[in-house]
Every structure is written in C-alpha cells, then in structure tokens.
Amino acid sequence: MKKVLFSLALIVAGSAAFAQVNKGQFLVGGNVSFATSKQADADDDFRTTSFNVSPNAGYFFIDQLAGGLRVNLNTFKTKAAEDATTTFVVAPFARYYFLPAAEKINVFADASYGFGSTGTVNKVSINQFSIMAGPAIFLTPNTALEFALGYTSQGGERWENLAGDVKRNNTIGVNVGFQIHLGNAKK
C-alpha cells in the first residue's frame, strides 16, 4: 500500500511539469459564485441572493494566451419578489497565464465583454465588462482549480434611470473555477 501511495504521489508531482498553457491547447471549464446581502433601513429589511454560473471554452492561440467564448447565467432574487431575475450574457474572453507551462501554480488574468438580456417578464438588454485575476492550481497536467478576484460592470437598458442617462452596476467579488486543458503538451 505504501508503494502505491508513493507511486501516485510521484506521478502527481511529476505531472506538474506538463501543465498545458501552450499554443494549440484547448481550455474548457468555468466558474461559480454565490452572494447574499442584507440592507436594513428604518422601514424594512432588504435581502438579496444571487448565484452565477459561467461556463467557457477557449483555445491557446500562442503560448500562455487563450481566447474563447463565455456564457454568464445569473439569478438574482430579492426577499419581496416572488420571481427571480435571470441574466444571460454571451461574451468573448481573453486569458493570459503569466508563468511558463512547467509551473504547478500559475497566475492568470482574464477579461471579457459581452451582450445579453435580463428580466423576469419584460426582457431588457444589457452589456457587461468583466476582469478577473488569481492563481490557477494545477491538480494534474490537465486540470486546474482557480481562485480569482473579479470586477464586473453592467450597463444598458436595465440600468437606465428616468432621465435616460445610462448608469452602470459595478460588482467586486470572489470566483472559484475549474478548467480542463485538452490536447498534447508541447515538448
């Protein structure tokens, strides 16, 4: 049993040398986030809950730089509302890994800009800009667990006020993600 565990440990440790962030690789995965907030005022408590899922697929056009497409699906519910508001955004993205492929822990930055819709009954258009950065921990040569600090800014019809001036909704949060790197590593 000790030999088996030791062999597995060597395989996992040795596999980090082939973390796949090289030209010609594919990237498939996504991230999730959950948030809840409570704002108390003199009249009533205002509570909100949101859940976001963002699957993505990309391709490494050059070493350490991938581009692809991300879909953001977010549900937002307030305590007083009977139905949740759903937001759907499709966004191209670019992602850069700062360290060479041989690192078990890498650091990445990711940016995207997309368009979509939000609402319960009457759908309205939105646009969304997102950036995030953080460590990617390669569990195996082909899988990475990611933790990122992110910033998202939404605008469009959803955020217009009565005067017609477009305002933006800005959010800072923490994301947890998982990526699968497909293809053969460059030798």
Side-chain angles (χ1 to χ4, degrees):
M1 182 66 172
K2 288 182 184 179
K3 289 180 182 180
V4 171
L5 290 175
F6 181 72
S7 298
L8 286 174
L10 283 176
I11 290 170
V12 170
S15 67
F18 300 107
Q20 298 185 9
V21 295
N22 296 314
K23 181 179 178 180
Q25 303 303 124
F26 289 93
L27 179 70
V28 178
N31 61 48
V32 296
S33 62
F34 173 81
T36 184
S37 65
K38 177 182 174 183
Q39 179 182 358
D41 61 16
D43 298 329
D44 194 18
D45 287 340
F46 183 74
R47 296 177 190 201
T48 62
T49 304
S50 68
F51 179 72
N52 184 56
V53 177
S54 299
N56 64 264
Y59 179 78
F60 283 89
F61 295 101
I62 62 173
D63 287 353
Q64 298 169 253
L65 178 65
L69 194 63
R70 174 175 294 126
V71 175
N72 292 318
L73 181 61
N74 183 287
T75 59
F76 179 86
K77 181 157 171 70
T78 61
K79 179 182 176 185
E82 290 185 25
D83 295 326
T85 301
T86 301
T87 301
F88 179 80
V89 175
V90 176
F93 74 90
R95 173 178 284 216
Y96 184 76
Y97 288 86
F98 290 95
L99 302 175
E103 301 297 325
K104 184 162 176 71
I105 297 177
N106 210 322
V107 178
F108 71 94
D110 187 298
S112 65
Y113 186 81
F115 298 92
S117 64
T118 187
T120 51
V121 177
N122 298 323
K123 300 284 185 187
V124 293
S125 66
I126 62 169
N127 59 68
Q128 176 176 297
F129 172 77
S130 297
I131 57 172
M132 65 178 163
I137 302 164
F138 283 87
L139 306 173
T140 71
N142 297 43
T143 59
L145 181 62
E146 300 175 342
F147 301 95
L149 180 61
Y151 169 80
T152 300
S153 180
Q154 288 184 341
E157 290 177 318
R158 166 70 172 95
W159 304 106
E160 289 179 4
N161 65 13
L162 295 176
D165 297 329
V166 176
K167 299 197 181 231
R168 300 206 59 91
N169 179 46
N170 302 310
T171 307
I172 294 176
V174 177
N175 297 311
V176 176
F178 187 77
Q179 298 292 332
I180 299 172
H181 297 254
L182 304 171
N184 293 325
K186 182 173 74 175
K187 302 291 182 200

